[in-house]
Amino acid sequence: MTQDKPLTGHALVEKVKELGDLSKEEKARACGYYTQTKNGVERVNMMKFLNALIDAEGIELDSSAEGQGRGGRSASYKISVQSNGNLLIGSAYTKKMNLQPGDEFEITLGRKHIHLKQVGAPDEDEV
């Protein structure tokens, strides 16, 4: 049985309590935290399950003053071209700008720079 979307929040906490004495893996599977490989092998995603459970319980593990994010590396304001030719701007930057999925940008190329301007945002000199 494949679940459309894994449980989160209060529904996740309640389901885990309801499942009682099952193993962590069985609880994760029952809450929808698994995938099936091309060969039909089921794989439980424990990391996503445990992170969702921590978030649902409201437990703050990060020591950052802002209290956002999951830790990891801090923004270095440098990126590298990946082996496939892409440039990836990480979530540290998009979170800092409060960007949402679907936000659009105009790309302007210079000799030695790439400039991104958010569509619909006022110019910096207009603010």
Side-chain angles (χ1 to χ4, degrees), residues 90-106:
S91 64
Y93 308 105
T94 58
K95 284 178 185 174
K96 215 168 203 176
M97 291 183 66
N98 295 319
L99 298 176
Q100 302 301 316
D103 286 353
E104 295 182 329
F105 289 82
E106 292 176 1

Side-chain angles (χ1 to χ4, degrees), residues 18-61:
E18 177 186 306
L19 296 172
D21 293 334
L22 294 180
S23 71
K24 288 183 287 189
E25 288 80 11
E26 291 169 319
K27 289 176 184 176
R29 186 179 297 112
C31 293
Y33 288 87
Y34 67 93
T35 56
Q36 273 195 305
T37 65
K38 294 175 187 172
N39 301 333
V41 177
E42 199 172 272
R43 296 198 179 197
V44 177
N45 192 329
M46 286 304 296
M47 194 58 127
K48 281 187 179 178
F49 172 67
L50 294 173
N51 281 332
L53 199 52
I54 288 168
D55 289 346
E57 289 284 4
I59 298 169
E60 183 60 54
L61 295 179

Side-chain angles (χ1 to χ4, degrees), residues 106-118:
E106 292 176 1
I107 301 171
T108 308
L109 300 177
R111 252 177 34 107
K112 296 271 185 177
H113 72 273
I114 298 172
H115 183 81
L116 298 175
K117 180 182 178 225
Q118 190 170 5

